[in-house]
Amino acid sequence: MSVDKTADSATEKHEGTTTTSRITDQEKELAANAYQAFMCASYEQCLQCLGRLQELSKDDYKITLNKAVTEFYKSGQTITDNLKQTLNQLKSQVHSASEEMDGLDDVENSMLYYNQAVILYHLRQYTEAIEIGEKLYQFIEPFEEKFAYSVSFLLVDLYLLTYQAERALHLLTVLEKMLLHGHNNKNGKASETSNNSYKENANQKVESGGQLEAAKSKIHQYKVRSYIQTKALKACKREIKSVMNTAGNSASSLFLKSNFEYLRGNYRKAVKLLNSANISEHPGFMKTGECIRCMFWNNLGCIHFAMGKHNLGMFYFKKALQENDNVCVQLSAVSSDQGKKFSGRPMCTLLANKRYELLYNCGIQLLHVGRPLAAFECLIEAVQVYHSNPRLWLRIAECCIAANKGTPEQETKGLPSKKGIVQSVVGQGYHRKIVLASQSAQNVVYNDGQSSAIPVASMEFAAICLRNALLLLPEEPAETKQENGSKAPCQLGTIESNSETRETCSSKSHEGDKFISAPPSSPLRKQELENLRCSILACSSYVALALGDNLMALNHAEKLLQQPKLSGSLKFLGHLYAAEALISLDKISDAIAHLNTENITDVSLGISSNEQDQGSDKGENEPLESSGKQIPQCYPNTVTTARSMMLFNLGSAYCLRSEYDKARKCLQQAAAMVHPKEIPPEAILLAVYLELQNGNTQLALQIIKRNQLLPSLKITSPDVRKKPVFHSIQPMQPIQMPAFTTVQRK
């Protein structure tokens, strides 16, 4: 959508609506000359005609509106502040507001409202712009056809930017009927009278065949963007063919087709389509407000993220950030008027800065690469703009958790790290003492006395982030309503961290499927909200345990286990966290009930991949490329391994009640389920404790020296896994973001 249509329509509207019986021939001639000069880009001559016209009709505010629009174009669309101020003054002058548009008088003022909606669109105030656009659409029948199309396309754009694809598709269907089938009723309710009137004036409404084809191509591109948002790939495939037939191999059509192939899992083909786009022919961000190079690198980063090539994806995101920074530097050099916020550069460039969307992508990518501190720095900057996104607060908390788990990166920063069984050796020879490391993570201070509110990758700050995430979630997900935030992303795609998604948005989604906004990623629908709540509760319980807040940890764990749709992996974590909190509260019997191995029947993530969800949309003869992306497993990946971990913890609980025989039995059963090399250090320390209780000091020393359970302590099993995946007794909620979107160009 461009401001050209605003100015053209404003001038046309002035000429058409003010030409009544009271207008003299001189005024008609001046109005016609002003319009002709404006269409020829002779803005100085147009202003002269409008000035003379204003002397004859001083009370007509529409002349002031046309002068403001003409001056705006004369300045190269750089005096946005002046235009905005003039529109606000004119709105006050006519004593009307968009909420009061309920009569024919408001139809006369429609051009004023439309211009305001265009300004709000470029200022990213989409909610207010949609409100005005929907009011205008109610009175669209008396409008000229060109202006009606402008209002409709603006509203479609706003719907797509706020993820209301269903409404956009409905409006596009009406537009297509208006354009191709001659329905004069703009609301889609055609009558015989309107059809006859349209057939008689068909040649007058369509100025040329070229304009008709351009409108068709625009509608097809909007439909593709809508189908991409709803993941309706079958319908999208049909529209993609229409786009390629009408727009050819233009950059916009190739970007859309690449996005389509990306959603289907054909990543190599998506990369090939991006590389085939001739981005050098793009007019430039000063004319369109789009940095196509920035979007190109961002799309490559998203595709390689989906392929599991995170380091390469991070390289492309850095390239996109560099291009975006170059654009911002050039815009700063162009802006000369420091006193006005939006003036000094073309209005379309107000949407050019995509820094925070790119930082969001970089943060998620760095989290997968294993650099939580660098990811924290990116996400903490992005959250300053997208502070209403609960999913983003969860990712920041995951950065804090990962930074305090003992990665090589955090060890260089002096943060606490996980230690081995033997902490140090004191003395020599007969007097040598072995100091065992403490496995307790309770009451540990991570922030060195600093305030917990200071953005530091600490567990205290993680607790604050998780509390923010919970507060942003609605109490009853089924009753959540859409919230169109003013910070919704425009055009630039982001890695959507839908780690909690078990059912991706499909073509079955409809307008009744309510959701809340989560910019810059896609909105959260009902099922995603439930999954996100489970992930936040699991992380909250883990963080509370690390901080020694056992009551809060137990509260979060119990809430987690009460969730109606809980994946097997999070159910496993919920029982473990609840048991640990109960043990710390000296409620051993209740903890033993949670550590029952019968509680664990499944440890799956419960997340279906894009390929599984969309497999029915793929052609029979089209080979599917396997995704290299792997979801990290930060917990046992089999029920057997999970139950062995439960038994290790159950043995610890029995030890606290001095039931050493039961503890030894649990240790033996658990050791028989896993490979000897996969026995966790906590289990070895448990065996040492049991031997010391029995007075077997020499055997305890042998266990420590060998760092493994002795054959006499474990039962050999004929079915020993060769390549198991096993982690510590206190597993962490994994970081997983399998679904994302790419850049969509208009």
Side-chain angles (χ1 to χ4, degrees):
M1 125 80 198
S2 65
V3 188
D4 292 0
K5 296 172 184 167
T6 308
D8 297 348
S9 301
T11 309
E12 293 176 34
K13 191 68 179 176
H14 170 71
E15 308 306 332
T17 58
T18 59
T19 307
T20 63
S21 57
R22 298 180 181 179
I23 298 179
T24 63
D25 294 338
Q26 183 181 4
E27 291 176 335
K28 290 182 180 180
E29 183 179 358
L30 287 173
N33 293 338
Y35 175 71
Q36 187 66 29
F38 181 87
M39 297 302 295
C40 297
S42 302
Y43 302 121
E44 186 65 34
Q45 182 181 353
C46 179
L47 287 173
Q48 293 176 2
C49 295
L50 290 174
R52 294 169 58 188
L53 188 61
Q54 194 170 30
E55 294 176 357
L56 299 176
S57 180
K58 297 181 179 180
D59 297 333
D60 193 348
Y61 81 94
K62 296 179 183 178
I63 301 177
T64 305
L65 173 62
N66 286 341
K67 288 182 66 177
V69 173
T70 306
E71 290 174 353
F72 176 75
Y73 270 88
K74 180 183 176 182
S75 66
Q77 306 180 23
T78 58
I79 53 173
T80 306
D81 286 287
N82 294 343
L83 179 60
K84 181 182 178 183
Q85 183 178 2
T86 302
L87 294 177
N88 291 333
Q89 292 175 353
L90 292 176
K91 184 177 179 180
S92 302
Q93 179 180 341
V94 297
H95 301 288
S96 62
S98 59
E99 296 84 358
E100 302 169 358
M101 294 171 59
D102 55 1
L104 292 178
D105 292 338
D106 298 308
V107 175
E108 293 295 323
N109 303 326
S110 59
M111 198 59 57
L112 172 62
Y113 299 133
Y114 176 74
N115 286 336
Q116 283 188 319
V118 172
I119 296 291
L120 292 171
Y121 166 84
H122 285 90
L123 298 182
R124 304 192 183 191
Q125 299 179 17
Y126 301 127
T127 304
E128 294 81 358
I130 287 177
E131 181 181 356
I132 295 176
E134 289 179 344
K135 292 289 184 179
L136 285 172
Y137 190 74
Q138 295 177 3
F139 304 100
I140 203 171
E141 289 190 14
F143 296 159
E144 297 177 2
E145 183 176 302
K146 188 176 181 181
F147 179 60
Y149 288 154
S150 298
V151 172
S152 301
F153 281 126
L154 173 62
L155 201 52
V156 169
D157 238 329
L158 291 167
Y159 282 150
L160 290 176
L161 291 174
T162 52
Y163 292 96
Q164 302 182 67
E166 292 81 6
R167 291 187 177 184
L169 283 172
H170 174 74
L171 195 54
L172 288 170
T173 302
V174 176
L175 275 172
E176 200 168 24
K177 290 180 179 179
M178 290 165 54
L179 185 65
L180 302 179
H181 303 292
H183 288 270
N184 193 40
N185 191 331
K186 305 304 187 295
N187 291 318
K189 299 178 181 179
S191 61
E192 295 181 0
T193 304
S194 61
N195 286 334
N196 295 333
S197 176
Y198 179 86
K199 292 177 181 179
E200 293 174 0
N201 301 316
N203 295 330
Q204 299 177 1
K205 292 185 177 181
V206 181
E207 296 179 0
S208 64
Q211 291 182 352
L212 178 63
E213 291 300 322
K216 287 182 181 179
S217 178
K218 195 171 185 179
I219 290 177
H220 289 311
Q221 291 186 33
Y222 276 125
K223 280 190 173 183
V224 170
R225 292 177 58 190
S226 302
Y227 288 136
I228 285 176
Q229 282 192 10
T230 58
K231 305 295 190 300
L233 299 187
K234 288 184 178 179
C236 185
K237 185 176 182 179
R238 293 192 297 267
E239 290 298 329
I240 282 288
K241 294 180 179 178
S242 301
V243 170
M244 301 305 294
N245 291 333
T246 55
N249 292 329
S250 62
S252 59
S253 60
L254 290 174
F255 269 55
L256 286 173
K257 190 173 182 180
S258 174
N259 196 347
F260 167 70
E261 296 296 340
Y262 163 80
L263 291 178
R264 303 176 71 202
N266 298 331
Y267 303 123
R268 294 184 181 274
K269 189 172 183 180
V271 173
K272 185 177 180 181
L273 288 169
L274 280 179
N275 290 328
S276 63
N278 190 358
I279 59 178
S280 60
E281 296 181 355
H282 192 264
F285 65 92
M286 296 296 289
K287 294 183 178 180
T288 63
E290 300 171 344
C291 179
I292 192 169
R293 292 184 178 275
C294 176
M295 292 187 288
F296 172 79
W297 294 117
N298 176 79
N299 281 8
L300 285 179
C302 290
I303 294 172
H304 285 84
F305 176 89
M307 297 171 68
K309 300 179 180 180
H310 301 303
N311 287 291
L312 189 56
M314 190 62 223
F315 169 78
Y316 290 128
F317 284 139
K318 286 183 178 179
K319 296 278 288 183
L321 267 174
Q322 292 174 1
E323 293 290 345
N324 186 78
D325 291 342
N326 293 336
V327 168
C328 293
V329 170
Q330 295 182 43
L331 291 177
S332 299
V334 170
S335 300
S336 57
D337 193 349
Q338 300 296 332
K340 295 184 177 180
K341 186 176 181 181
F342 307 113
S343 295
R345 58 176 181 170
M347 185 172 65
C348 62
T349 60
L350 296 176
L351 300 173
N353 188 6
K354 310 296 182 183
R355 175 174 177 79
Y356 296 100
E357 290 96 323
L358 292 171
L359 285 174
Y360 183 95
N361 283 356
C362 288
I364 301 301
Q365 190 74 277
L366 287 168
L367 205 50
H368 278 269
V369 172
R371 298 174 58 190
L373 292 179
F376 179 84
E377 296 297 329
C378 292
L379 295 180
I380 205 65
E381 187 174 351
V383 81
Q384 298 177 27
V385 175
Y386 304 115
H387 47 78
S388 63
N389 186 350
R391 188 187 283 146
L392 179 53
W393 285 109
L394 172 62
R395 300 304 165 221
I396 296 176
E398 288 177 339
C399 292
C400 299
I401 294 172
N404 288 279
K405 288 199 64 180
T407 61
E409 179 189 12
Q410 63 105 69
E411 290 177 357
T412 62
K413 301 294 182 179
L415 295 175
S417 61
K418 180 181 175 183
K419 301 177 181 179
I421 296 177
V422 178
Q423 180 175 353
S424 62
V425 179
V426 180
Q428 295 180 354
Y430 182 77
H431 299 284
R432 185 178 63 173
K433 305 292 183 182
I434 297 176
V435 180
L436 300 182
S438 174
Q439 298 297 319
S440 176
Q442 307 234 356
N443 301 320
V444 179
V445 179
Y446 293 92
N447 58 4
D448 298 331
Q450 295 181 353
S451 173
S452 300
I454 297 177
V456 179
S458 64
M459 294 299 249
E460 288 83 358
F461 189 72
I464 294 177
C465 294
L466 293 169
R467 187 159 55 248
N468 290 344
L470 278 177
L471 291 174
L472 288 170
L473 293 180
E475 295 182 2
E476 298 180 5
E479 297 179 2
T480 51
K481 296 182 179 181
Q482 177 187 356
E483 299 172 2
N484 297 324
S486 61
K487 295 293 183 180
C490 49
Q491 296 187 17
L492 189 68
T494 57
I495 296 179
E496 292 189 8
S497 46
N498 290 345
S499 62
E500 309 81 16
T501 306
R502 290 164 180 79
E503 299 176 2
T504 58
C505 303
S506 63
S507 58
K508 297 180 181 180
S509 62
H510 49 83
E511 191 171 348
D513 189 8
K514 300 176 181 179
F515 54 87
I516 65 171
S517 62
S521 54
S522 61
L524 295 166
R525 298 184 182 271
K526 178 181 177 181
Q527 183 61 42
E528 295 173 306
L529 284 171
E530 296 175 356
N531 301 331
L532 180 60
R533 188 186 303 275
C534 293
S535 298
I536 294 174
L537 288 173
C539 284
S540 298
S541 182
Y542 176 85
V543 171
L545 285 173
L547 295 176
D549 193 349
N550 300 307
L551 282 174
M552 186 60 68
L554 179 60
N555 183 29
H556 288 312
E558 289 177 346
K559 286 184 178 179
L560 175 64
L561 294 174
Q562 293 172 0
Q563 297 302 310
K565 296 182 180 180
L566 186 62
S567 65
S569 61
L570 293 185
K571 182 180 179 181
F572 165 73
L573 293 177
H575 283 297
L576 274 186
Y577 296 160
E580 183 171 349
L582 287 168
I583 288 175
S584 300
L585 295 172
D586 199 22
K587 297 181 179 180
I588 310 301
S589 299
D590 295 337
I592 289 176
H594 281 284
L595 294 174
N596 187 354
T597 56
E598 298 301 325
N599 292 332
I600 306 303
T601 58
D602 179 30
V603 290
S604 63
L605 293 174
I607 298 177
S608 58
S609 63
N610 289 341
E611 291 80 8
Q612 292 173 344
D613 290 335
Q614 301 161 2
S616 60
D617 290 335
K618 301 177 185 295
E620 296 179 359
N621 300 325
E622 298 178 11
L624 306 181
E625 300 181 9
S626 59
S627 172
K629 180 178 162 185
Q630 298 178 355
I631 300 175
Q633 300 286 345
C634 297
Y635 40 78
N637 62 346
T638 64
V639 175
T640 301
T641 310
R643 289 184 173 181
S644 67
M645 185 178 294
M646 281 290 200
L647 288 171
F648 284 135
N649 285 275
L650 185 60
S652 299
Y654 282 133
C655 281
L656 294 175
R657 294 205 306 190
S658 300
E659 298 179 3
Y660 302 119
D661 292 337
K662 291 184 178 180
R664 179 182 290 271
K665 183 178 179 181
C666 290
L667 185 62
Q668 291 173 347
Q669 292 178 356
M673 295 181 180
V674 296
H675 192 277
K677 294 182 179 180
E678 302 300 329
I679 296 176
E682 291 85 356
I684 297 175
L685 288 176
L686 177 61
V688 171
Y689 178 79
L690 290 173
E691 295 306 320
L692 291 176
Q693 286 292 335
N694 291 334
N696 298 329
T697 307
Q698 295 299 324
L699 188 58
L701 286 174
Q702 291 183 29
I703 294 174
I704 294 174
K705 291 178 181 179
R706 296 185 182 183
N707 196 23
Q708 64 181 9
L709 295 180
L710 297 180
S712 60
L713 292 179
K714 70 185 232 33
I715 303 173
T716 57
S717 174
D719 184 17
V720 178
R721 298 182 301 112
K722 295 183 179 181
K723 295 182 179 180
V725 178
F726 194 96
H727 291 271
S728 64
I729 287 183
Q730 201 177 67
M732 185 194 72
Q733 158 62 15
I735 299 167
Q736 357 147 0
M737 288 141 289
F740 21 62
T741 58
T742 54
V743 171
Q744 301 173 3
R745 279 184 43 80
K746 294 182 282 186

